[in-house]
Amino acid sequence: MNADNDKDSFECLEHRTCLPVGGYSVWAALPPFPHTTSQTDFNPLPEGPHVLDSTRADADMDWMLVTAQLDTSALFHDKASGADASLSGLLIMLTVSDLLSGWYHKLTNPPPLRRRIVFAAFGGEPWGYMGSRRFVHDLSSEAPSTAPLRLASLTSVIELGQLGFAEVASEESEAEVYMHVDRQQSGEVNKKLIQSLQEAANGTAAKAELASASNPGVPPASFMSFLTDQMRNTSSHAPLYPGAVLTEFDSQYINPYHWSRYDQASVTLSPRKMAAVAQSVARMLYKEMTGALPPDVSSSGSPSGAVESAVMLKNSTEAFVEELIGCLLRHSPGMQCDMVTDLMTAGSRTAQHYVGIMSSIPSQLQSANDKSDVERFVWNFLGNRTGLLATDPNHKGGGVEAPVACTKQSQCASMGGYCVGITRDSKGWCVRASMNYTL
């Protein structure tokens, strides 16, 4: 395309002599919202303790947002890795969703739910925070892509930023996390959130502390989209939701390879410290959801048993982070790793982390056809972790109801679900989930 005669991007877009940068974001809620359509022959949403009673004002329930960036940038776009700059936060968010959903779904009698947790991976953030800005816009306008989430019910935002840690001191040292907050908000607005994060880090290899008071506020981050929306709506007395951007740095970036081709996993990531941060954030979120400690830090049992459980959790979480790194940031196994191939068939072996261009606005926003491998993986992963498996009582194997198999989304839509895990060689399965792609 040739835009030499156009004076700016607005003109070349109007003349169709250039294409816009663009991609997709993904969000998912834990637990999913109740399904309110007519009951089918299947059991898409078991009537159990993990789902709220649909007679409650469920759409008005408080929710807490956990965010990360989905892609990155570099001078050479095809070489953009962003291991620390963007992907470290995304990998930690996926690990947190795995820990949190595992704890919550395994409970046979969970305490009353205090608030939902919503995970969001924003696309196009290096380009004017396009993903988070659109998400806030859709929330404000109550667009279908973010329904049934309501901005008025948002209580706080946690953003997982640069958290690779490999350039920080000794590998054996603690993962020191700095919490950046908006200095223009009152201290009371952020106080509870900060205390909750600090308490959750106790007993892990992570340490959380407030960033320096000399900092002007939050560093460049998706959370700025929410702060901008708050300032725009101050006159209408919009609620001030607290938030914190978690990073490995205090007053200045410590990664010398930020947004360069050298920001590679082997150089800028520490799986051990990333796992410690994931455990801390997951513990904090579990307590926000239920008001109780998660199973791994339960006071029941002997002290030696608690220590053993903590060690097992630490090792398994670190191994999980390592596997994600291998899938999304290495050529081998790359997108041929088991974690990816169990959920989808990737178009290429190596994940691409540059947002790319958008040739047109799709008529079917929720279709997987025009999504990147990473976008599709995050969608399938979050749906599979946060959702509830739909089962068919008429087909049992070993006395257990069989999952509802599917090959397309329409087969799960009637039960308020989604089809995840579709690959070239095998069918997927229906899950009852609350999730969507957004522009």
Side-chain angles (χ1 to χ4, degrees), residues 2 19 34 52 94 104 106 120 126 150 176 193 195 200 229 247 258 277 291 296 305 319-321 391 417:
N2 187 352
L19 291 172
L52 294 181
L94 295 178
Y104 188 72
K106 287 178 182 176
R150 299 185 59 177
E176 193 163 6
L193 182 63
Q195 289 178 340
D229 181 73
T247 71
H258 183 80
V277 175
D296 75 301
F320 190 85
V321 172
T391 57

Side-chain angles (χ1 to χ4, degrees), residues 89-167:
L90 178 65
L91 298 181
I92 290 174
M93 189 189 79
L94 295 178
T95 305
V96 169
S97 71
D98 180 72
L99 288 169
L100 190 62
S101 59
W103 290 334
Y104 188 72
H105 287 322
K106 287 178 182 176
L107 293 176
T108 56
N109 188 27
L113 189 67
R114 300 170 63 195
R115 60 180 53 89
R116 273 188 177 80
I117 305 300
V118 175
F119 299 98
F122 293 134
E125 293 302 273
W127 301 90
Y129 306 105
M130 65 172 68
S132 56
R133 286 168 59 197
R134 181 56 185 255
F135 186 80
V136 173
H137 172 273
D138 287 355
L139 281 173
S140 300
S141 59
E142 298 185 354
S145 61
T146 53
L149 300 176
R150 299 185 59 177
L151 189 59
S153 301
L154 175 61
T155 60
S156 53
V157 180
I158 296 292
E159 179 169 353
L160 302 171
Q162 300 174 42
L163 292 164
F165 294 106
E167 293 292 318

